[in-house]
Amino acid sequence: MERLIILRQTANPLFQSLSITQSLLMMWREEGPKSLFKGNGVNVLRIAPFTAFEFLFFGFFKDLLKIAGLSDKLSQTGSYLIAGGFAGMTASTLVMQHSIFQLIVNRSILWIF
């Protein structure tokens, strides 16, 4: 899917007039099933650390709310919402540098090919 998004964003004339389903079928016919996973490695490198940080910091902020005594005043849903919000902000801040690296790698790969 990431590859299809990039192909459509770069205004590739082969994919501009096709729907998403037609584009995926065209990729499948021309390059086989491996074409659907091209470029997915960089996306996994971005998502895996973000998810790991989110899990780590969700537990941390959930425990911090208990220590501060706020989890007793909030419902379980409210404390999960607050902990999840802080975990997402923290994970985004830590992974942002990785996204910049991904952009640099993607541009250098485009110049190679």
Side-chain angles (χ1 to χ4, degrees):
M1 227 25 186
E2 286 291 320
R3 182 168 177 238
L4 181 59
I5 291 169
I6 291 170
L7 288 171
R8 293 181 67 86
Q9 285 177 347
T10 57
N12 189 322
L14 294 173
F15 293 92
Q16 287 303 311
S17 62
L18 300 176
S19 70
I20 292 174
T21 307
Q22 291 171 333
S23 299
L24 290 171
L25 287 173
M26 182 177 166
M27 287 169 47
W28 183 284
R29 278 191 299 256
E30 288 185 359
E31 299 176 40
K34 283 188 176 181
S35 67
L36 301 177
F37 300 100
K38 279 186 178 179
N40 193 37
V42 176
N43 194 34
V44 169
L45 287 175
R46 180 177 55 91
I47 295 297
F50 179 82
T51 306
F53 281 134
E54 258 190 332
F55 279 121
L56 172 76
F57 285 110
F58 177 76
F60 172 76
F61 285 117
K62 192 172 67 168
D63 293 341
L64 193 65
L65 287 172
K66 283 182 187 175
I67 292 170
L70 294 174
S71 63
D72 298 335
K73 298 176 185 175
L74 298 169
S75 65
Q76 183 178 7
T77 306
S79 62
Y80 281 10
L81 182 65
I82 292 171
F86 280 119
M89 287 187 287
T90 307
S92 295
T93 302
L94 293 173
V95 177
M96 182 67 73
Q97 294 84 13
H98 187 268
S99 295
I100 293 170
F101 174 73
Q102 177 190 0
L103 177 67
I104 293 169
V105 168
N106 280 343
R107 290 200 178 210
S108 65
I109 288 173
L110 289 175
W111 284 105
I112 291 171
F113 295 109

